[in-house]
Amino acid sequence: MKTLLAITTAIVALSTATAEARPNCPGGQGYWEEIVRNVRVCDTRTENYTVTLKNCDYSGHLTLGFLFNKPDFPLPHIKYRTSASRGVESCPASKFASESEVYWYTDHNGTRWIGHATYSGVLSKTSEQTYTENRTRTVETNCRTEQRVTRVFRCGFQP
């Protein structure tokens, strides 16, 4: 029995060291090649942290800019606008705002066209609320380069 085991082990060892038959290789012969590559490996840990954020509300008036053509219907010269910023780190005392709209006008030949009007102005801060959020992040530590060995089957005979 021990002799049979020894013979089987020897046959397996010889067959892995020599060429192998594969149906998808020309001539049916091939071999295993070991490829060594460097990979970056890190340990990771999860940490919790708290971030402070703000919600800011703004309001103010926007003023109509210059119009190149006279609208068919009058446009308001001033618009009241509100704005909100959510989940920001800081709330400035004011912020610039602008918006555009289209209007119809008729030229001297009686053809109707579309024109563009722009309103702009400064919105003042009206309120500010502060809140905290708990967050989680993954941190890489102890990063290093390790070698990984991969076996790849190659067609043909081993060089």
Side-chain angles (χ1 to χ4, degrees):
M1 187 68 169
K2 288 184 181 179
T3 307
L4 183 60
L5 182 61
I7 292 172
T8 305
T9 304
I11 291 172
V12 170
L14 286 174
S15 67
T16 58
T18 59
E20 293 185 26
R22 288 283 171 108
N24 59 342
C25 291
Q29 297 296 312
Y31 63 96
W32 287 100
E33 179 183 359
E34 288 186 348
I35 298 175
V36 179
R37 54 189 179 95
N38 293 327
V39 294
R40 183 175 180 262
V41 180
C42 297
D43 299 329
T44 59
R45 64 180 168 83
T46 302
E47 69 180 23
N48 297 319
Y49 65 100
T50 303
V51 63
T52 301
L53 299 171
K54 298 175 185 245
N55 291 336
C56 317
D57 294 311
Y58 296 89
S59 66
H61 294 91
L62 304 181
T63 306
L64 178 62
F66 178 76
L67 297 177
F68 290 97
N69 300 287
K70 183 182 177 199
D72 290 342
F73 299 99
L75 297 174
H77 290 285
I78 295 177
K79 289 186 173 186
Y80 179 77
R81 286 292 175 255
T82 60
S83 175
S85 299
R86 303 290 180 234
V88 295
E89 292 182 4
S90 66
C91 295
S94 62
K95 69 178 190 176
F96 178 79
S98 70
E99 63 181 54
S100 296
E101 67 177 56
V102 295
Y103 64 91
W104 286 98
Y105 69 93
T106 305
D107 68 9
H108 62 281
N109 295 325
T111 306
R112 294 194 74 203
W113 299 91
I114 292 178
H116 298 275
T118 302
Y119 289 84
S120 61
V122 175
L123 304 179
S124 299
K125 180 171 61 172
T126 56
S127 70
E128 176 180 322
Q129 300 87 33
T130 302
Y131 65 97
T132 58
E133 273 185 9
N134 294 321
R135 295 184 179 176
T136 304
R137 65 181 160 217
T138 302
V139 179
E140 293 181 338
T141 60
N142 193 23
C143 292
R144 61 210 174 271
T145 301
E146 292 183 357
Q147 290 187 335
R148 298 281 193 245
V149 178
T150 307
R151 290 184 66 202
V152 178
F153 191 81
R154 304 281 188 204
C155 291
F157 291 97
Q158 192 166 6

